[in-house]
Amino acid sequence: MSKRWFQAHQRDTWRRQARSKGYRARSAFKLKQIQEKFSLIREGDLVLDVGSHPGGWTQVSVEETGPNGLVIGIDLLASAPVEGAQMVIGDVTEKTSQDTILDLLQTGVKVDGTSLPPVEEGETRLFNTIVSDISPRLTGQYDRDQAISLELVAMVFDFTLPLLSPGGAFVTKIFQGTGIEGIVNAAKQRFSRVQRFSPDASRNSSSEVFLVCKNKLPRPKKGSRKTSVSQELDLHLESEGIIQQKESESENDVKSGFRRIPKKE
Ligand SMILES: C[S@@+](CC[C@H](N)C(=O)[O-])C[C@H]1O[C@@H](n2cnc3c(N)ncnc32)[C@H](O)[C@@H]1O
């Protein structure tokens, strides 16, 4: 029996199970297994699902939060509505998407027209849990895909952590390989517990692993108060000799796959 055949068979098994239980994607079982082990989402929680299309993780999040919670999903792609969740179409790394998410969170309006209790004046409502299964469009070149994915994950940390309440939990998919320690170390500066976990539903099928971060600290540990996760990842990659510091690095540069590509005008 070839390894490839076995992996395809495993994927089909989870896909069939997903279909029979009404989940849109087999990935739903990954979040279910993460939830079984770590109990990240509680009844009544406010949850952000990053990279939510087609909605498997959103469905699981809604099941876990129940009618008193609020789930907001965001993805570049439009998904069919998920009962009980607000779905935002957009790039999580863009300010307009963040504003939309923050707006939905503050008003607390759910798709069924009911609302969360209003927040006190001057207060900001924050998420209890952020779950991210985000993945860039894969090219099939593992090293490149892994590098781009790592940078995307760092950006998700930077863009969404301000929306997570102290004590909150964060889980993200990462692909094993070069530079992963840079992300793990940056996470340890911001959460009191950080663990890697491979759910059965993803074992044998890829090199993905989930980074489970619990108990967000009220502020990052010393040494990380003035740096972002993306900067800490870059510093790690520089220290490992994987990227070189560019003298003429400009604020208008965007990063892609550990190389800097000038932004188009
Ligand atoms: C593996 S899929 C998510 C599957 C989902 N968790 C589920 O259970 O149905 C990864 C998703 O990340 C999304 N994605 C990639 N880059 C993104 C970005 N910058 N902003 C928002 N979503 C993004 C992709 O469009 C894709 O739908």
Side-chain angles (χ1 to χ4, degrees):
M1 198 188 302
S2 78
K3 190 172 169 208
R4 192 177 288 185
W5 181 89
F6 182 71
Q7 289 175 346
H9 175 73
Q10 289 281 86
R11 275 198 294 273
D12 281 353
T13 309
W14 288 114
R15 209 167 278 135
R16 266 198 305 277
Q17 276 207 51
R19 212 172 296 138
S20 78
K21 295 211 156 50
Y23 292 122
R24 295 178 182 183
R26 70 186 168 90
S27 50
F29 288 103
K30 300 177 193 172
L31 184 57
K32 278 177 90 67
Q33 289 163 6
I34 293 168
Q35 174 68 5
E36 264 161 37
K37 183 151 170 75
F38 296 97
S39 308
L40 298 183
I41 307 173
R42 286 156 307 175
E43 205 270 321
D45 267 359
L46 313 178
V47 177
L48 177 65
D49 178 11
V50 181
S52 53
H53 178 80
W57 278 34
T58 316
Q59 289 176 296
V60 174
S61 301
V62 169
E63 277 171 19
E64 295 295 333
T65 56
N68 297 326
L70 177 70
V71 178
I72 300 176
I74 171 149
D75 201 291
L76 297 168
L77 306 174
S79 305
V82 174
E83 207 183 319
Q86 295 275 13
M87 306 300 266
V88 176
I89 305 169
D91 184 335
V92 68
T93 67
E94 280 180 4
K95 175 133 186 6
T96 47
S97 310
Q98 292 155 26
D99 290 346
T100 309
I101 293 169
L102 206 55
D103 248 30
L104 283 169
L105 186 61
Q106 297 325 302
T107 55
V109 177
K110 306 192 197 184
V111 270
D112 64 2
T114 61
S115 301
L116 296 172
V119 277
E120 300 280 322
E121 199 163 323
E123 275 191 15
T124 308
R125 203 187 328 253
L126 296 171
F127 289 104
N128 305 104
T129 309
I130 297 178
V131 297
S132 172
D133 192 25
I134 201 164
S135 175
R137 190 187 288 267
L138 300 177
T139 65
Q141 288 173 265
Y142 187 79
D143 289 350
R144 183 170 166 75
D145 289 341
Q146 191 261 348
I148 294 172
S149 148
L150 215 52
E151 293 200 331
L152 186 58
V153 168
M155 286 166 93
V156 172
F157 266 108
D158 288 332
F159 284 105
T160 64
L161 280 192
L163 305 181
L164 182 64
S165 65
F170 184 100
V171 59
T172 181
K173 174 163 72 186
I174 39 178
F175 292 102
Q176 316 247 35
T178 309
I180 192 171
E181 292 308 325
I183 291 279
V184 175
N185 292 339
K188 284 183 176 166
Q189 293 293 103
R190 291 159 175 84
F191 291 86
S192 68
R193 275 189 65 196
V194 176
Q195 269 175 275
R196 291 172 225 206
F197 179 62
S198 294
D200 282 343
S202 64
R203 230 172 260 162
N204 297 319
S205 65
S206 75
S207 51
E208 73 187 12
V209 64
F210 291 85
L211 197 62
V212 180
C213 311
K214 283 183 98 169
N215 192 21
K216 183 190 159 192
L217 302 170
R219 57 187 190 142
K221 289 183 191 163
K222 250 185 172 169
S224 288
R225 294 196 184 138
K226 292 193 176 139
T227 46
S228 64
V229 172
S230 300
Q231 286 168 332
E232 287 173 36
L233 173 63
D234 276 2
L235 287 172
H236 170 80
L237 295 170
E238 281 164 23
S239 72
E240 295 284 305
I242 297 159
I243 59 170
Q244 281 181 345
Q245 196 175 8
K246 292 265 165 67
E247 280 165 31
S248 61
E249 214 166 86
S250 121
E251 282 193 352
N252 287 335
D253 286 356
V254 290
K255 294 178 289 166
S256 174
F258 298 159
R259 288 176 308 149
R260 293 184 195 284
I261 299 174
K263 225 180 203 173
K264 287 196 190 95
E265 287 305 316

